[in-house]
Amino acid sequence: MNALLARFAALPRDKADTLLLLLAAVLVLAPHVFHLPPWVSMLCALTLLWRGVITLQGKRMPPSLLLLPLAAGGMLGVAYSYHTVLGRDAGVAMLVLLVTFKMLEMHARRDLFVVVFLCFFLVLTNFFYEQGIGTALLMALSVLALLTAQLSFQFTGVVPPLRQRFLMSAKVIGLAAPLACALFFLFPRIEGPLWGMPSDTTSARSGLSETMAPGTMANLAQSREPAFRVRFDGPVPPQEQLYWRGPVLGAYDGRTWTRLDARLAGRTAQQPLSLSVSGKGIGYDVTLEPSYTRWLFALEMPQRLPELDGNIANVSGEFELTTSFPVETRLRYRMRSFVNYRLQSAGFPEDADHWLQLPGNSNPRALLAGLELRAEPDPRKRVEAVLQRFRRENYVYTLNPPLLGRNAVDDFLYGSRAGFCEHFSGAFVFLMRAAGVPARVVTGYQGGELNPIDGYVTVRQSDAHAWAEVWLERRGWVRIDPTAAVAPERVRRGLNEAIPPRAPFGIEGLGRFMRLDGETNPWIAQMRHAAGAINNGWNQWVLNYTPQRQAGLVDSVQASLFDWRMPSLLAFLTSLLLLWRFFQRRREVDPIDALYSALCSRLARLGLARSADEGPSAYAARIGAAALLAPPAQAAACEFLDRYSAWRYAPRRNHEDLAATLKRLLSQVR
């Protein structure tokens, strides 16, 4: 590293400054690689490399006749890739190309500052795509490099070393940071995300959908993206109680489960929603990640609708929680749920026919098996018979089940016998309907990972799950999880425990050893939890700092200011600060200056006060001309001032002997 800095310092100033600007531009442009077309990233890399070679070899810049066709081709390529030159993505791509092309056209000092200011704007565009704390730290480093490059162009004559210029830029950022924090917390905010544009709504997002077919949940389980985070008021409930309710699916076409038509599934005034709860409620706060859907998730079963900032919560006839507008930003809401509940247990549901419908000419073997179950008069025993079948026979819970044919349920029950949660829940609901028991599929999430550092439970897309509900007399809709009959570890300890990791390179046991979330690597898990807690804190206090939270902060500050304790505390701290500054300044006074001040005070009492613009030499001349002091005192005062003037305006030397001499002369001035 030191050798590299030495070689950099040995370069001519213009080359060193240009290379520093190129480095700063690379830091700004690098994150855009993940969302720009590959040809844009390659063209930018080649252009910057070309500019670096020109700088090191001292060659001339390419002519405008070459740059103009290159820039025009880049703009046409952006229009072809995005089918427009407007909007966020196309605009960012064009700006990235313009910055790199401008590097080849830096002929005057003005061009350098144009590149610097364009790079500052590109720093902001990175937050259109990612707002994590890692991006924020990288952009802070980019701003530091850009400021250093800008300062380097300002110097004339001798230029400070690179390290000193970096420290100067860091000092500038440090001076601006308090004002930036004050503006962030107190400046009026608008509705919407910290960084975002309306076009963001078209971006693809992974998450639960309103349909379920073989393979949909298994594909979603591959994603480690967080769906939402939860903080409980008290202890975290057991894992097997963490069922986060989402879309309810009731229509089946032989392969795909979908939600019932709203006109069919909606409740009527004659049959209102009925929910009775018992036991102690569980209070918790949910921070939902942007999903661009209208789904809210809550622990089964919430007692009331949440209050949302900038949105409205609704409940469907199947106790699905939704919003009136898509969730485009992180959304926090407060919930209270009861694990002991009875849903619509008052009487046989009027819409039971919707939960008994099956497609014709589909899955004949499963349909016959369900009809045979009707010989048992007790619906509870029919449910238990199907669960016993899953437990007793060799069914396998796997993320990679074989493909199923047209009769998916038959192929699963009597053929492959291997599937994920959507296979077991879908087959179970089919058998229950064939057996005359109203049933439906419920999708959502099951479980969650507790971070012991900040106390939040993170529910990821990999926790997506599907289970069933059956309607039983005097009990209402009852949750039945067929997956738990085959893989109970999935419900008790999560997906990773139910499906062991694959063995890398065919070495058994290596997969579990390399896992980052298992008990076999506690130190890695601790690091991951710490990183997760930091990222969650960033999300909670920075990215999710909404106008409502700002209003709450302002109200709390105002309430504190009107409380007598806050002014008293501020006065006490101010007094401590003033006392510290007073003693600090006393310690900072030079002893020679202290003696000079003492002499001036003594002469002022004797009628020879020093003027504010009077130096020690002029002061001595005036004292020598006056007749207010006795000759010995007059001589001592003039000698004191002559020695002090020589010490003050001459090169500093050891003044220990001078202090003793001045003290002696001061004592003679009477």
Side-chain angles (χ1 to χ4, degrees), residues 81 98 160 164 166-167 246 273 287 296 367 390 415 446 462 506 557 647 665:
S81 298
L98 289 175
Q164 185 175 348
F166 269 114
L167 292 177
L273 296 176
T287 303
L296 296 177
L367 180 61
F390 286 146
Q446 198 283 322
S462 56
V557 171
W647 172 83
L665 294 172

Side-chain angles (χ1 to χ4, degrees), residues 35-115:
H35 53 79
L36 289 176
W39 70 267
V40 174
S41 301
M42 289 296 297
L43 182 58
C44 291
L46 293 175
T47 304
L48 294 176
L49 181 61
W50 186 10
R51 185 63 177 87
V53 171
I54 290 176
T55 301
L56 291 175
Q57 296 183 357
K59 295 184 177 181
R60 297 183 62 182
M61 294 287 190
S64 300
L65 293 178
L66 177 61
L67 292 179
L68 288 177
L70 184 62
M75 300 305 104
L76 291 176
V78 170
Y80 177 79
S81 298
Y82 294 100
H83 307 289
T84 182
V85 293
L86 303 177
R88 181 195 67 180
D89 297 335
V92 170
M94 293 180 64
L95 186 59
V96 167
L97 289 174
L98 289 175
V99 168
T100 53
F101 292 156
K102 187 64 178 176
M103 293 285 186
L104 297 174
E105 201 193 15
M106 293 190 301
H107 300 290
R109 191 179 184 188
R110 177 192 61 188
D111 298 325
L112 299 173
F113 291 114
V114 168
V115 173

Side-chain angles (χ1 to χ4, degrees), residues 2 70 82 263 266 276 324 359 418 458-459 541 620-621 639 651:
N2 293 331
L70 184 62
Y82 294 100
R263 293 169 297 178
S276 60
S324 298
T458 301
V459 180
W541 297 104
E639 183 182 356

